[in-house]
């Protein structure tokens, strides 16, 4: 089965990369390439495709608004240089999003998800219980998180920290460049996590075993990650530090 694809990006080099990657995947077929969402809209008026690889940040009409304007959109993979667009992507039921710059391996992963969506019934769409929860436990050290159309198994010990974004959470995992984004409340996550996790801010839960340094009112997880300690949580966090602190 060939999947007919439309590639959209206003940057010529980025568009050429999409076209090259599509041509490298045996089950993908390039139907057309467009340098704007307006050009893609004109194409969609007289032709159909199974999937669209679409940049988000484009002039005149951005990729997100273009997809929302389609009466019956095909499967969507967004490409973007901005990770915050991932949440919006989930709201329009995107199959995946590729964070620029991405390589062939990342593209192949997204292509495989397109293929799975077209040929299989995703596991996440099958009710696990009469009232399925987006977070279930397999054992004391494992969580299942629903992200996009998949249910992903996560080892609790590998979670570095959790970041709240309105009704969504970013779950940052050890060794992973991108977080798992799931529709879940901070309160629900906090209730499920063991004692090695602590709420340090309205928007952050941290794995205490992953902390590298505490500097005034912030926690340093690594050279690039600094998490604030909120006023409401300072006393509890300081009490934890006191149990671990050695020295005068």
């Amino acid at each position: 089965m060939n999947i007919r694809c439309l590639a959209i990006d206003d940057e010529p080099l980025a568009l050429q990369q999409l076209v090259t990657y599509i041509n490298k995947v045996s089950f993908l077929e390039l139907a057309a390439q467009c340098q704007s969402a307006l050009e893609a809209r004109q194409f969609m008026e007289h032709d159909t495709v199974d999937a669209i690889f679409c940049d988000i940040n484009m002039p005149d009409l951005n990729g997100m608004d273009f997809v929302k304007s389609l009466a019956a959109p095909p499967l969507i993979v967004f490409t973007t240089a901005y990770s915050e667009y991932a949440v919006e992507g989930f709201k329009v039921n995107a199959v995946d999003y590729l964070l620029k710059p991405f390589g062939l391996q990342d593209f192949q992963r997204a292509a495989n998800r397109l293929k799975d969506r077209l040929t299989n019934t995703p596991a996440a769409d099958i009710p696990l219980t009469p009232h399925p929860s987006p977070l279930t436990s397999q054992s004391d050290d494992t969580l299942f998180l629903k992200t996009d159309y998949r249910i992903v198994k996560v080892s609790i010990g590998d979670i570095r920290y959790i970041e709240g974004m309105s009704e969504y959470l970013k779950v940052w995992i050890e060794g992973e460049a991108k977080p798992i984004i799931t529709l879940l409340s901070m309160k629900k996550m906090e209730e499920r996590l063991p004692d090695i996790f602590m709420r340090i801010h309205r928007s952050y839960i941290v794995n205490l075993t992953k902390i590298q340094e505490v500097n005034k009112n912030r926690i340093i997880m690594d050279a690039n990650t600094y998490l604030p300690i909120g006023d409401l949580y300072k006393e509890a966090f300081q009490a934890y530090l006191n149990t671990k602190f050695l020295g005068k």
Side-chain angles (χ1 to χ4, degrees):
M1 180 190 73
N2 283 346
I3 300 174
R4 279 172 48 83
C5 300
L6 177 62
I8 312 170
D9 202 304
D10 64 309
E11 298 177 9
L13 290 178
L15 181 59
Q16 184 55 51
Q17 182 193 50
L18 271 177
V19 170
T20 299
Y21 286 168
I22 288 172
N23 289 333
K24 285 181 179 291
V25 179
S26 61
F27 55 82
L28 297 183
E29 174 189 337
L30 181 66
Q33 52 182 299
C34 302
Q35 285 193 264
S36 72
L38 296 178
E39 183 183 344
R41 177 182 282 173
Q42 292 176 352
F43 173 83
M44 295 289 288
E45 287 175 356
H46 61 77
D47 208 335
T48 60
V49 293
D50 302 307
I52 297 176
F53 291 89
C54 184
D55 185 30
I56 293 178
N57 193 22
M58 295 186 290
D60 297 326
L61 178 64
N62 71 45
M64 195 72 65
D65 290 338
F66 164 66
V67 170
K68 290 178 181 178
S69 73
L70 298 175
L75 299 181
I76 305 295
V77 174
F78 283 118
T79 64
T80 177
Y82 305 96
S83 60
E84 59 267 26
Y85 281 123
V87 171
E88 289 298 315
F90 288 128
K91 289 181 179 179
V92 298
N93 201 29
V95 172
D96 203 354
Y97 77 100
L98 292 167
L99 189 62
K100 298 179 180 179
F102 55 86
L104 180 57
Q105 184 176 359
D106 290 327
F107 183 87
Q108 180 74 62
R109 178 203 68 208
N112 288 338
R113 289 180 180 173
L114 286 174
K115 186 177 181 181
D116 288 343
R117 179 73 73 91
L118 287 170
T119 59
N120 301 316
T121 301
D125 292 339
I126 301 173
L128 300 179
T129 66
H131 301 283
S133 168
L135 179 152
T136 59
S137 63
Q138 180 194 44
S139 66
D140 290 341
D141 60 358
T142 304
L143 298 177
F144 281 108
L145 296 176
K146 184 174 182 179
T147 176
D148 194 6
Y149 72 96
R150 302 170 297 138
I151 291 181
V152 180
K153 184 173 73 172
V154 176
S155 173
I156 292 176
D158 288 340
I159 298 174
R160 298 178 65 229
Y161 64 97
I162 295 110
E163 179 181 358
M165 302 184 306
S166 185
E167 69 267 35
Y168 289 84
L169 298 182
K170 286 183 178 180
V171 182
W172 293 89
I173 306 295
E174 192 77 46
E176 298 292 335
K178 296 192 297 185
I180 295 170
I181 300 179
T182 186
L183 178 61
L184 194 66
S185 69
M186 289 286 279
K187 184 176 185 297
K188 183 74 172 179
M189 177 64 85
E190 194 175 10
E191 289 173 352
R192 177 61 184 85
L193 293 171
D195 292 341
I196 61 170
F197 288 85
M198 179 177 286
R199 184 86 170 262
I200 59 160
H201 187 273
R202 180 173 57 87
S203 300
Y204 293 100
I205 299 172
V206 67
N207 185 336
L208 298 169
T209 69
K210 305 293 185 182
I211 295 174
Q212 291 189 1
E213 186 178 334
V214 180
N215 188 336
K216 296 182 179 179
N217 291 327
R218 62 182 184 177
I219 288 172
I220 301 174
M221 304 298 290
D222 56 48
N224 300 310
T225 308
Y226 299 77
L227 306 181
I229 303 172
D231 291 339
L232 294 176
Y233 305 91
K234 285 180 182 178
E235 185 176 347
F237 183 70
Q238 186 60 51
Y240 163 76
L241 285 183
N242 290 342
T243 67
K244 303 292 184 180
F245 185 73
L246 294 179
K248 296 181 180 179

